[in-house]
Amino acid sequence: MAEKTIFKKIIDREIPAKIVYEDDLCLAFEDVNPQAPTHVLVIPKREIASVDDVTEEDEEVVGHLFAVIKKIAAELGLAGGYRVVTNCGRDAGQEVMHLHFHLLAGRKLAWPPG
Ligand code: AMP
C-alpha cells in the first residue's frame, strides 16, 4: 500500500495540527508555514490526490469544501476578503498529493500570483 500523505496522517490523528473545523467530510487546519496572517488548509477526508483526480463521485464533497471555506471565512471575520488557491501538479508547486484548498487572508494579496 502507498505511504500515507502527511494530510492523511493529520486526518488519522497520527501527527498534530491546529484544527479549526471538522465534520464528516472534511477537515481544516492552520498551515504550518503560513503565507499570510490567515492561512488555513481545507481538505476532504476522502483521499483525492489533486483536482486532476476529482471524479463525478467527488462532486458533492468538493462542493461541500467551498461551503465550509465560506463558513470558516465568516467565523474568522475575513470581511476584507480572502483568496482560495489549489495547486495542481508540478508546475503549480503541489507538494502534498492530497487535494487541499489554501484559504489566505489578512493582508493585501498580489495578483497575478507568482
Ligand atoms: P501545496 O504546495 O499546495 O501542496 O501546499 C502544501 C501546504 O501544506 C504548504 O503550504 C505547507 O506549508 C503545508 N503543510 C505541509 N505539512 C504540513 C503540516 N504538517 N501541517 C500543516 N501544514 C502543512
Side-chain angles (χ1 to χ4, degrees):
M1 208 164 114
E3 202 188 324
K4 284 186 183 183
T5 66
I6 195 125
F7 291 174
K8 177 64 175 157
K9 288 179 183 171
I10 290 173
I11 292 167
D12 291 344
R13 302 300 200 272
E14 290 172 12
I15 62 166
K18 288 187 184 157
I19 293 170
V20 299
Y21 177 87
E22 178 168 25
D23 63 26
D24 288 349
L25 296 177
C26 73
L27 188 67
F29 49 93
E30 292 179 12
D31 195 294
V32 78
N33 181 23
Q35 301 301 312
T38 295
H39 189 171
V40 171
L41 299 172
V42 185
I43 71 172
K45 289 187 173 173
R46 184 181 295 175
E47 288 184 273
I48 305 166
S50 75
V51 171
D52 233 12
D53 299 280
V54 171
T55 67
E56 264 180 42
E57 288 80 61
D58 301 322
E59 285 177 4
E60 191 180 334
V61 68
V62 173
H64 179 69
L65 293 177
F66 278 89
V68 165
I69 287 167
K70 177 184 163 183
K71 190 184 299 196
I72 294 169
E75 278 170 9
L76 295 179
L78 307 181
Y82 55 90
R83 182 168 293 165
V84 180
V85 178
T86 186
N87 296 316
C88 180
R90 190 187 54 226
D91 281 356
Q94 184 178 5
E95 288 174 2
V96 181
M97 293 307 288
H98 183 120
L99 180 67
H100 52 283
F101 292 98
H102 300 255
L103 168 57
L104 297 151
R107 66 171 171 82
K108 186 87 179 143
L109 297 162
W111 191 264

